[in-house]
Amino acid sequence: MIILKVMGGLGNQMFEVAYARSLSLEFKEDIYLDTSAYNNYKIRGFSIPHLNISNSLKYIDDIEISNINRVYLKSSQKAYHVYQKVVRELTGRDRFGKGPFKVLSTIGLYYNFDRYYYETLTNNSKIKCLYGYFQSEKYFEKYKEQIAEELRVKTPPTDKEKKLIEEINSCNAVAVSMRLGDDYMKSSSLNVCTEDFYYKGMDHIYNNHKDAVFYIFSDSIERAKEQFNFKFPVRYIEGFSDYESLRLLYSCKHFVISNSSFSWWGSYLAENPNKIVVAPNKWYKDTKEKPDIFLENMVLIEV
């Protein structure tokens, strides 16, 4: 069995589930979600049940696990969390998890909070536990077509969303996905995108598509209205849940994304084969190497 500790907002949840799904397809094993993190995490909700992939998922409460195994998994996750935090603070390094990942994965513990991809080693562990964000296509690349389809929204759209989807489909829609919430603006690790980044990104797409129609997505739409002075007409997307916003995002044809996993998935799931995806050239403040979240087709602009 594969046990996944789910954490973070919808974008992070999707990266985590994508890796778990890839392992389940490779090893022919069921996935059981541990959603206990959401008992205390109030910033984002657990939204995976609204995606197609939820049909292939079960929950840890649905199976019998010995108390010894429960304590073992919980304590090992706490120990790893402390380890990676201490090492990062003491060394200032952001790539140090390769060795631990290689060793721990041999006993079924796929733990990694680095921003880099590490090769998955096969093992015969009865329980395989995933703990980390796994923000790279490389973790599920072998099955990416199937997984991308499974990560689309299954919950039927409301009439309001249907109308907007029809509008987006009728034009050369460009999603400008901004992360502006306080948790992002005050982040100690994420490299906050400047106003100029978004303006340059919109210019780049307009220079390639004069019929571009810009749609603004944000976790703080009021801040977007107040802070930005766009030279193009824009339509603000508001009043939708995270999974509804995700569907609206991937319905667009081109993208200017912030350094957000939610933005990443919105652009990734879009089916336009000629899509332009503009992204910030630096995802994190403290990375000395290019993190593996970047894709080759992205147009990188200085933040």
Side-chain angles (χ1 to χ4, degrees):
M1 73 177 71
I2 297 168
I3 296 175
L4 169 64
K5 177 85 171 195
V6 191
M7 302 170 291
L10 181 54
N12 282 335
Q13 293 168 37
M14 293 168 73
F15 271 116
E16 294 154 16
V17 169
Y19 183 36
R21 182 61 171 145
S22 179
L23 292 181
S24 77
L25 292 169
E26 188 72 17
F27 298 136
K28 305 296 187 294
E29 296 183 16
D30 291 334
I31 302 170
Y32 294 89
L33 303 185
D34 174 0
T35 61
S36 60
Y38 296 92
N39 295 336
N40 300 310
Y41 185 67
K42 306 302 180 185
I43 299 175
R44 302 282 187 270
F46 176 60
S47 296
I48 290 297
H50 296 283
L51 310 184
N52 290 327
I53 202 166
S54 62
N55 298 329
S56 302
L57 305 174
K58 300 177 182 179
Y59 292 86
I60 195 170
D61 292 337
D62 298 333
I63 54 174
E64 290 187 7
I65 300 180
S66 69
N67 289 332
I68 292 177
N69 277 331
R70 287 183 184 274
V71 171
Y72 166 65
L73 293 177
K74 188 173 182 178
S75 59
S76 64
Q77 289 166 8
K78 284 186 176 181
Y80 185 83
H81 182 73
V82 171
Y83 158 78
Q84 59 90 26
K85 187 174 182 179
V86 169
V87 172
R88 183 170 285 133
E89 289 290 331
L90 292 179
T91 67
R93 295 164 53 203
D94 68 309
R95 180 193 280 275
F96 52 82
K98 184 176 182 179
F101 185 78
K102 182 177 181 180
V103 173
L104 292 174
S105 62
T106 61
I107 57 173
L109 301 181
Y110 296 89
Y111 293 179
N112 179 27
F113 280 90
D114 284 11
R115 290 82 178 252
Y116 308 98
Y117 165 77
Y118 299 133
E119 183 181 1
T120 299
L121 302 177
T122 58
N123 66 74
N124 296 317
S125 300
K126 182 178 179 181
I127 297 178
K128 299 176 178 64
C129 184
L130 278 60
Y131 181 53
Y133 292 123
F134 309 107
Q135 294 179 339
S136 173
E137 180 194 54
K138 296 176 183 178
Y139 281 108
F140 58 91
E141 190 167 19
K142 182 176 179 179
Y143 302 99
K144 64 181 182 180
E145 287 82 9
Q146 177 178 341
I147 289 173
E149 186 58 37
E150 292 180 347
L151 288 174
R152 296 182 182 279
V153 180
K154 73 173 184 179
T155 302
T158 62
D159 290 340
K160 178 184 176 183
E161 189 188 351
K162 281 182 183 177
K163 185 176 181 181
L164 188 50
I165 289 174
E166 290 174 1
E167 178 186 319
I168 287 173
N169 288 337
S170 70
C171 66
N172 202 1
V174 180
V176 182
S177 184
M178 302 176 163
R179 190 168 179 187
L180 300 171
D182 287 339
D183 61 322
Y184 170 71
M185 302 299 287
K186 298 176 182 178
S187 172
S188 60
S189 62
L190 287 169
N191 203 29
V192 177
C193 294
T194 63
E195 295 175 22
D196 198 44
F197 161 75
Y198 295 106
Y199 296 150
K200 287 180 179 178
M202 294 169 75
D203 283 343
H204 178 82
I205 293 179
Y206 178 78
N207 290 337
N208 286 274
H209 296 280
K210 301 298 184 185
D211 60 343
V213 179
F214 294 97
Y215 292 83
I216 307 299
F217 295 77
S218 180
D219 54 351
S220 180
I221 205 70
E222 291 304 319
R223 186 170 285 172
K225 291 178 180 179
E226 295 170 2
Q227 185 173 330
F228 291 84
N229 184 22
F230 300 109
K231 68 179 181 181
F232 304 107
V234 299
R235 170 84 183 271
Y236 294 97
I237 304 302
E238 51 189 326
F240 295 98
S241 64
D242 56 356
Y243 64 87
E244 290 172 328
S245 295
L246 175 69
R247 179 161 46 202
L248 291 167
L249 260 176
Y250 67 64
S251 296
C252 293
K253 297 177 178 66
H254 305 286
F255 301 85
V256 179
I257 68 170
S258 60
N259 44 346
S260 150
S261 55
F262 182 81
S263 300
W264 190 96
W265 278 108
S267 64
Y268 187 81
L269 295 177
E271 295 182 316
N272 177 18
N274 300 311
K275 62 187 172 187
I276 298 174
V277 181
V278 175
N281 68 331
K282 190 170 179 61
W283 206 270
Y284 298 99
K285 296 176 184 177
D286 53 356
T287 48
K288 296 177 176 62
E289 302 175 47
K290 187 177 180 180
D292 287 324
I293 197 167
F294 288 110
L295 298 171
E296 289 184 3
N297 69 332
M298 288 178 170
V299 177
L300 303 185
I301 291 181
E302 186 175 353
V303 178

